[in-house]
Amino acid sequence: EGMPQTLSSTSMFTPCGFSPHLHTAKEDEQGGLIFQDGNLTSASLDALIQHLIPTTDYYPEKAYIFTFLLSSRLFIEPHELLSRVCHKCIEQQRLDDPVLDKARIRKFGPKILQLLTEWTETFPYDFQEERMIGHLKDMIHRIAPCDEAYWKKMNQLLQTLNQKLATLSHGQEGIVKISAAVSDKLVAFKTKPPSIQREILSVCSDPYTLAQQLTHVELERLSHIGPEEFVQAFVHKDPLDGTKTCFSEQKKTSNLEAYVKWFNRLCYLVATEICMPAKKKQRAQVIEFFIDVARECFNIGNFNSLMAIISGMNMSPVSRLKKTWSKVKTAKFFILEHQMDPTGNFYNYRTALRGAAHRSLTAHSNREKIVIPFFSLLIKDIYFLNEGCANRLPNGHVNFEKFLELAKQVGEFITWKQVECPFEQDPNIIHYLHTAPIFTEDGLYLASYESESPENQTEKDRWKSLR
């Protein structure tokens, strides 16, 4: 409930403060699970684990599996969870008996295989750990004697998992290489670089093409973010486990952080490209070009690049260039700014996002499926949802209602990040976007003052100290 007013947007999510009137609803309890109006709202961790485990005649709902696997890591590490699931299966299906009940296990086998498959497909990063693979193999070795097909299934599952992890780590290495190269040698410009510096218009003069290449970069980077990173970004100590945080190792959020860095790079790249040309006419031309790129990003549904471009244009070294802006047809820019206006908790943007999400659901082509949300805001929403209500209720139960809301937001994102980019890739442009030199903030101010000299004493003092 204690959420800052500016951030509570009723249309997006309601903070899950448990107001008294909720509890008048009928509560049913089944095996330690509390239901309200047919929805699971809370339970002990043990009951939730039990609810995940298939039996000969029960299989958990897909939505439950995703929600629980996503949020369980706030209470128990994945390898520990899998270990407990396997132990309970062994007990319940009597997999330790010298003679196995084959008929029974043939009913249970496909279900446990299905659960393990869903886990490896949705949270592949969990299986970078040897222990996870160990539990997985142990489980299958126990049921395999009952049916030859289970071996084949396991091999398929492991093969798919290995391919997925290889692709993901290969992509990560590429991103890390680029980031390192960029931060080492390129950002250090304090003054205008020599004119050999290529500029964006010489690499790509067509706004449609650039918007499409930006969309390539966005989707490529999004594809590496695991759903669990949203939860792991906010891992605190679990109050019922006084000894350690659930993730004692470094927080596993590297892809999420790399993506935020990309957004910042794009902001600075836009500002650099605008401040660099010596002539006012050329600077105005670059501004108009980026306005067209941003508009095309909006049409595509690429809100992250759109917001980065607008942020870059709104940086003060750019916005202070009054003479340059006087040469720009600004009407189109104001329309875009209006779309991304932060008032009303980004009401206009959220409306546009809903529209794009709706279009995506009914889409016939990949082109219409693209939804790339303004990422920092998505993280902020998830952060406030997380801060706005407790993980556990006063009785120690897991607050499952909260995690259903979390899973809804993360689940939607998972759908969006799986879209195949429909545009042809232009390696030349993509290389430029990742490696073109960008100014530091000081460098931007210097370039800006050289383009249009300081207006007032504050600016004059700043210029002096920079030089």
Side-chain angles (χ1 to χ4, degrees), residues 19-39:
S19 45
H21 66 263
L22 277 178
H23 288 282
T24 54
K26 194 163 143 289
E27 284 194 0
D28 309 309
E29 186 169 352
Q30 304 164 15
L33 304 169
I34 307 288
F35 289 87
Q36 247 165 299
D37 306 327
N39 296 319

Side-chain angles (χ1 to χ4, degrees), residues 241-253:
D241 178 15
T243 49
K244 58 176 176 50
T245 55
C246 297
F247 279 84
S248 30
E249 327 114 75
Q250 108 302 355
K251 292 232 184 93
K252 301 172 178 159
T253 53

Side-chain angles (χ1 to χ4, degrees), residues 312-461:
M313 291 181 164
N314 279 329
M315 285 171 85
S316 38
V318 178
S319 60
R320 68 168 290 283
L321 298 170
K322 307 272 191 303
K323 294 173 186 150
T324 304
W325 281 94
S326 70
K327 295 249 169 286
V328 174
K329 300 185 192 74
T330 46
K332 284 191 289 192
F333 182 60
F334 294 139
I335 292 170
L336 289 171
E337 259 199 322
H338 176 69
Q339 285 296 345
M340 295 317 239
D341 179 9
T343 47
N345 191 15
F346 288 92
Y347 180 79
N348 297 344
Y349 158 68
R350 292 185 192 278
T351 308
L353 181 70
R354 287 286 130 243
H358 185 73
R359 174 191 71 187
S360 180
L361 284 175
T362 55
H364 296 299
S365 67
N366 275 348
R367 164 103 210 210
E368 298 167 277
K369 276 191 191 139
I370 298 172
V371 183
I372 300 169
F374 168 31
F375 195 64
S376 326
L377 190 60
L378 176 68
I379 292 181
K380 206 174 192 174
D381 285 346
I382 289 173
Y383 176 78
F384 277 100
L385 170 65
N386 190 56
E387 291 294 304
C389 34
N391 290 338
R392 288 189 189 262
L393 303 180
N395 65 1
H397 272 194
V398 170
N399 178 357
F400 204 71
E401 202 174 358
K402 165 182 177 172
F403 296 120
L404 283 167
E405 184 55 47
L406 183 72
K408 200 167 87 186
Q409 295 194 23
V410 176
E412 194 168 35
F413 169 80
I414 298 309
T415 316
W416 295 337
K417 84 176 187 119
Q418 285 166 343
V419 175
E420 289 277 317
C421 191
F423 310 117
E424 209 175 318
Q425 202 171 357
D426 184 324
N428 204 4
I429 299 174
I430 288 181
H431 181 73
Y432 184 86
L433 289 170
H434 280 124
T435 58
I438 51 174
F439 286 132
T440 57
E441 198 172 354
D442 286 351
L444 281 173
Y445 273 109
L446 268 172
S448 177
Y449 294 143
E450 280 171 38
S451 298
E452 295 185 20
S453 28
E455 299 260 297
N456 53 39
Q457 203 47 51
T458 320
E459 291 195 343
K460 282 178 185 153
D461 293 344

Side-chain angles (χ1 to χ4, degrees), residues 6-26:
T6 53
L7 272 133
S8 69
S9 150
T10 43
S11 65
M12 276 307 273
F13 61 79
T14 41
C16 34
F18 282 79
S19 45
H21 66 263
L22 277 178
H23 288 282
T24 54
K26 194 163 143 289

